[in-house]
Amino acid sequence: MSDRHVGQVVDRVHTIVAEIFSSLDRILTSVVACYRASDSFSCAGLAAVRPEIFACLSRTHEVVAGAGVIVAPGVLADRRRWLEWWQAPPEQDPIFLDVDLDPESLNFYDYTAAEWFAVPERTRRRHIVGPYVDYGGTDTYMLTFTAPAEVDGRFLGVVGADVRAARFEALLLGVLAASPAQVTLVNARGQGGGDQLAAVARRLPAPGSGVGPAPVTRVALEHRHVLRGPGDQPPVGTRRVLPTRSAGSRSRPSSGVGAESGN
């Protein structure tokens, strides 16, 4: 397969990724503005970001299944941990995802250990994880895109979006079908067949950077638990999600791509 065909696939992947991160950048800008405008950043202050989250879901409704802000512990004045996460069911208004954030609970969801949170916290760079099975949430293969939120050196958390792997694949079908050879976009484990495009992840430039390719590290698969337990009443429109697997379980890996890209 010629470099031209590889380049066409790379370009298409970059376009999809850039569009998703562009929407996340708008949420990120809103988070930073709310933080700077508040003397004591709280859940009420973070709620001001919701219009931008809903706008992201509306703009990308055919691609993004959920989006929001995941706050680093200790950033909010009134909550130790918080997920301002909203799902976008087809033909429905966004639904708030209620998870168990009580460390004393058996169903405690420690999102700080999740790769999509821990890697941006460590590297201060954008990150993509998956595909993985979102047990208890959507029960489908998912890709998670995250970008770090930071103000004056303080890590506030991440903004993120979930993309169904099937939809991501569908967006690539045109360019893949046009290739004269079989093409497989693979993940960090090298899963895939035919002419494996591990090079695709390495060649992805930083969206919007205008400076060419950025260093990329391919990453392992991650299962994100979506659990809930006792706690305060969630916002109107909340989806209460009950655990379907134990807190220590992991999803079955699938073929796909995971990449860490620069800002």
Side-chain angles (χ1 to χ4, degrees), residues 27-233:
I27 299 175
L28 177 60
T29 298
S30 182
V31 171
V32 171
C34 289
Y35 178 82
R36 290 189 181 280
S38 175
D39 293 332
S40 180
F41 198 38
S42 66
C43 283
L46 185 61
V49 178
R50 289 178 188 172
E52 198 56 64
I53 295 174
F54 297 161
C56 170
L57 294 174
S58 177
R59 283 192 306 270
T60 61
H61 69 279
E62 294 185 353
V63 179
V64 173
V69 184
I70 303 91
V71 184
V75 169
L76 295 176
D78 54 349
R79 293 290 186 107
R80 175 65 182 168
R81 299 172 178 84
W82 187 251
L83 277 82
E84 185 67 34
W85 194 266
W86 294 79
Q87 293 181 322
E91 309 301 326
Q92 295 184 38
D93 291 334
I95 298 175
F96 181 82
L97 192 64
D98 182 24
V99 297
D100 185 354
L101 299 177
D102 180 4
E104 303 302 319
S105 171
L106 292 177
N107 291 329
F108 171 51
Y109 175 36
D110 183 12
Y111 57 79
T112 63
E115 186 173 283
W116 48 259
F117 185 93
V119 173
E121 180 181 21
R122 183 181 71 251
T123 66
R124 298 299 200 266
R125 303 177 71 142
R126 296 170 171 176
H127 200 66
I128 305 172
V129 174
Y132 62 91
V133 179
D134 188 19
Y135 286 115
T138 61
D139 294 322
T140 59
Y141 282 105
M142 199 72 71
L143 295 162
T144 295
F145 293 63
T146 50
E150 185 177 9
V151 172
D152 298 331
R154 184 182 187 187
F155 178 67
L156 305 182
V158 299
V159 296
D162 280 341
V163 175
R164 289 185 176 87
R167 182 55 185 160
F168 189 89
E169 180 183 45
L171 294 172
L172 289 174
L173 289 182
V175 68
L176 292 176
S179 172
Q182 182 179 1
V183 176
T184 303
L185 185 62
V186 299
N187 59 18
R189 298 186 180 187
Q191 295 170 306
D195 295 300
Q196 299 182 346
L197 292 184
V200 169
R202 291 196 299 271
R203 293 172 58 180
L204 282 177
S209 67
V211 295
V216 173
T217 302
R218 293 160 69 217
V219 300
L221 304 176
E222 172 71 15
H223 165 59
R224 180 165 67 86
H225 297 278
V226 185
L227 310 174
R228 76 165 296 276
D232 295 339
Q233 289 299 315

